[in-house]
Amino acid sequence: MIVVLWQISLIISFLSFFFGLFTKSKTSLLISFFTSLPIALYFLGANNAFKLIALFSIVPLIIIYLFHRHEGRRAKT
């Protein structure tokens, strides 16, 4: 049962990430971030290079920041 929930979280994370990326939706990217957190925390406990997978959950937050910064520049000009 846990594996099914983990897979659903992964699917929702990817779908909302790509939807948010193509539509520049901050809400979808935030959903992607929160649904990728359980996966990131799972891999954070690894003792090898799999620990780096946990860093990929930060990518939606960075993109949200870049979208916000780009909108701020566009509003000023």
Side-chain angles (χ1 to χ4, degrees):
M1 184 66 177
I2 297 296
V3 175
V4 172
L5 292 174
W6 197 65
Q7 289 175 348
I8 290 171
S9 175
L10 182 68
I11 290 169
I12 291 172
S13 177
F14 278 126
L15 289 176
S16 63
F17 177 74
F18 287 119
F19 179 76
L21 198 61
F22 291 133
T23 61
K24 295 185 179 180
S25 169
K26 295 176 188 174
T27 308
S28 294
L29 289 170
L30 250 152
I31 291 171
S32 173
F33 168 70
F34 284 119
T35 55
S36 68
L37 274 181
I39 300 163
L41 292 176
Y42 176 78
F43 282 110
L44 194 61
N47 291 326
N48 49 19
F50 284 123
K51 191 177 275 192
L52 296 175
I53 293 174
L55 295 176
F56 286 116
S57 67
I58 299 172
V59 172
L61 289 179
I62 294 171
I63 293 173
I64 289 172
Y65 173 73
L66 292 174
F67 284 165
H68 179 70
R69 191 170 161 198
H70 181 69
E71 286 177 358
R73 284 187 183 172
R74 190 183 311 163
K76 288 180 183 178
T77 59

